[in-house]
Amino acid sequence: MLVEDYNPYEDPDVLAGDYPMLPVEPMAERNALYDWDYPEMRRNYGEPLQEEWWKYHENRVTPNTNFRVTRGYMYRCQLAWLITILISVYLTEGSAGIPKVTQPVLDQQLVTDGVTHYTFDVPE
């Protein structure tokens, strides 16, 4: 590392001492086809490591610094899905002219006045 590139941590709560502040570069986002010295770790011999490099292994956290789409596009897609779901619920609840689909059920068979369906009296 060159002296000009050395930049220590500003925050004393990091407890990194004089270790240089390096950018986060997860293994999953490094070029897999490059001829690495340690291909399973995707790093070269003598390469300085970020302070918490153990967090950014390929089988752990990847902070996704290179998204395929922008966040605005993600939010617009989410809003479009929400509107689609709300419209479909409104259309299928029966008040928009489309009949509500329900399971047909017969009326409850209750006791009617004057008709004895069952009794505990002993027949004569």
Side-chain angles (χ1 to χ4, degrees):
M1 173 175 276
L2 300 173
V3 177
E4 298 85 30
D5 294 338
Y6 176 73
N7 185 15
Y9 283 93
E10 306 286 328
D11 188 12
D13 292 334
V14 175
L15 301 175
D18 62 349
Y19 200 77
M21 184 171 57
L22 298 170
V24 174
E25 190 179 6
M27 281 186 203
E29 294 181 10
R30 289 182 145 201
N31 185 3
L33 301 177
Y34 179 79
D35 188 23
W36 299 102
D37 292 339
Y38 299 105
E40 67 279 357
M41 303 280 266
R42 288 191 189 167
R43 64 179 293 252
N44 288 323
Y45 180 78
E47 178 182 357
L49 296 172
Q50 204 263 348
E51 182 203 3
E52 295 178 330
W53 68 276
W54 56 271
K55 275 196 215 174
Y56 303 109
H57 283 252
E58 203 166 14
N59 59 354
R60 291 193 175 94
V61 175
T62 300
N64 253 355
T65 56
N66 52 358
F67 291 112
R68 272 188 350 183
V69 294
T70 63
R71 286 209 186 264
Y73 182 74
M74 288 184 214
Y75 292 141
R76 286 192 302 271
C77 287
Q78 186 176 6
L79 182 64
W81 273 110
L82 177 67
I83 290 171
T84 303
I85 289 171
L86 291 176
I87 288 173
S88 64
V89 166
Y90 173 73
L91 290 175
T92 58
E93 104 183 330
S95 62
I98 300 173
K100 186 174 183 178
V101 179
T102 58
Q103 181 179 2
V105 178
L106 291 174
D107 288 336
Q108 242 181 346
Q109 297 178 3
L110 299 175
V111 178
T112 55
D113 292 337
V115 179
T116 307
H117 295 282
Y118 187 82
T119 182
F120 290 101
D121 296 335
V122 179
E124 298 173 2

